[in-house]
Amino acid sequence: MESIGREELDVIVVGAGNAATCAALSARENGARVLMLEIAPEEAKAGNSAFTGGAFRVVYHGAEDLARLIPDMNETELRDVDFGSYTEEQYFEDMGRLTQYRCDPDLTEILIRNSFEAGLWMRSKGVRFQLGLGRQAFRVEGRFKFWGGLACHIWGGGKELMKGLHARAARDGITVLYETPAIGLLAGDRGVEGVRVRHAGRLHDLRAKVVVLACGGFEANAEMRARYLGPNWDLAKVRGTRFNTGQGLKMALDLGAAVAGHWSGAHAVAWDLNAPPFGDLDVGDRFQKHNYPFGIVVNARGERFLDEGADFHSYTYAKYGGEILNQQACSRGRSSTRKSSICYARNTASRASPKKRPTASRRWPSGSTASIRAAFW
């Protein structure tokens, strides 16, 4: 640690999940000297990324595109699958209607127009992909068809995703300091000039030309959940890591960073009541409870409280956890109503029911960023 503290660094990345490791790999690819900081011990590294099921939404125009991401598709898959397509226009439409056109137009355009190339880049860094023939496909007239635009999944889910990326980071000579929480940003005449960290009980100031905060949200912080999301959110169980306590957001806000996004909204899913308070890496996302596409959901009084058929599961599941939490809030304290619990995974834009679609004049356009911005601001 002492030698690293004296070393001249180009980039410090706070976090060790998918976003953080990809940022570190990209910086290293471009010649930067990179250091990653991870609050968790090594056996619990990678934040919420390690808990993902692995669905990877990407623009593609048929089997040939998917074959570039999944070159090891077998003859059975090639014969039995109707690959279809998922175009930029469909992706823009989905992002627009599901967020009521509140998603950031510039970031949304970057996400969508670069999604396929991003997948190819991740594959070059050791990430393997597979066809989404499990939860995201059904057999129709003898052939599998994908629904919800999710033809591509990460092989092995979040654990294999992070195993591959961290193996590449080690190969590229990127150092990761575990059990090293960042506790503050170092400000100077040119802005942020480094990070103050705690390592082995001691404080250290690490300086770099660039600091990247990729250290997650505040879902593991019950006090912040209640403050920003509202009553009873402190009771929610956490789908992912116990280490996403919002410290990165606090550091940025303390330094005067601008805020954005939907602070009172959350990605929340139906979760097993008997699940532990935080995620279990051996179980991953398999505590989820959402078979509603094939039935109805009722509370302890036998009442339906959501529209199970509003859209494909992949477009609705992340908002129904909040609906379940509302049922708990209305239970007058009766524990018998707590048929399932929920997990909050991250802040996100609100999900709107597809039945409340905007008028034609407010549908997502296919033109420039400027026209997209005008469509929903």
Side-chain angles (χ1 to χ4, degrees), residues 30-269:
N30 286 279
R33 293 155 296 184
V34 184
L35 173 67
M36 295 173 63
L37 305 175
E38 169 64 288
I39 185 174
E42 187 169 5
E43 63 271 16
K45 66 187 177 186
N48 281 345
S49 300
F51 294 88
T52 180
F56 191 81
R57 190 173 295 275
V58 59
V59 170
Y60 73 96
H61 299 94
E64 290 185 0
D65 281 348
L66 289 177
R68 295 178 64 190
L69 288 172
I70 316 168
D72 53 353
M73 284 190 290
N74 58 50
E75 291 299 323
T76 301
E77 291 171 327
L78 292 170
R79 181 184 66 247
D80 293 348
V81 175
D82 179 355
F83 293 93
S85 63
Y86 189 64
T87 65
E88 286 187 357
E89 290 74 17
Q90 289 173 297
Y91 207 155
F92 275 114
E93 167 66 12
D94 284 344
M95 288 291 291
R97 76 182 164 83
L98 294 177
T99 66
Q100 299 182 56
Y101 293 84
R102 292 191 176 104
C103 47
D104 182 274
D106 298 314
L107 295 180
T108 300
E109 184 164 29
I110 291 170
L111 166 71
I112 294 172
R113 299 202 191 282
N114 294 288
S115 60
F116 184 75
E117 293 300 323
L120 292 178
W121 181 85
M122 291 177 71
R123 183 176 175 274
S124 75
K125 300 301 181 185
V127 177
R128 291 180 58 191
F129 294 96
Q130 64 183 7
L131 292 175
L133 294 175
R135 294 176 294 178
Q136 308 295 343
F138 284 100
R139 191 181 291 275
V140 180
E141 296 180 353
R143 303 186 75 194
F144 282 103
K145 287 191 174 185
F146 300 107
W147 50 277
L150 288 171
C152 186
H153 281 222
I154 294 166
W155 181 84
K159 290 184 75 172
E160 291 298 323
L161 165 69
M162 297 315 305
K163 181 179 177 181
L165 289 177
H166 275 271
R168 182 55 184 260
R171 175 179 156 189
D172 287 358
I174 298 173
T175 299
V176 184
L177 293 181
Y178 295 101
E179 298 182 82
T180 306
I183 62 173
L185 296 172
L186 303 178
D189 293 339
R190 59 184 180 86
V192 175
E193 296 182 348
V195 184
R196 175 163 291 178
V197 304
R198 186 179 298 278
H199 180 83
R202 295 179 59 190
L203 294 178
H204 302 265
D205 287 348
L206 307 179
R207 299 192 177 272
K209 298 174 183 176
V210 174
V211 174
V212 177
L213 295 179
C215 40
F218 56 78
E219 62 275 7
N221 186 321
E223 186 272 334
M224 290 184 74
R225 291 201 309 269
R227 184 196 313 174
Y228 292 112
L229 303 181
N232 290 305
W233 277 97
D234 53 324
L235 304 178
K237 295 191 176 184
V238 177
R239 171 179 172 177
T241 178
R242 69 179 65 244
F243 295 101
N244 279 10
T245 59
Q247 182 60 28
L249 293 168
K250 291 179 180 178
M251 292 190 307
L253 292 174
D254 287 346
L255 212 60
V259 299
H262 184 198
W263 283 70
S264 61
H267 179 293
V269 306

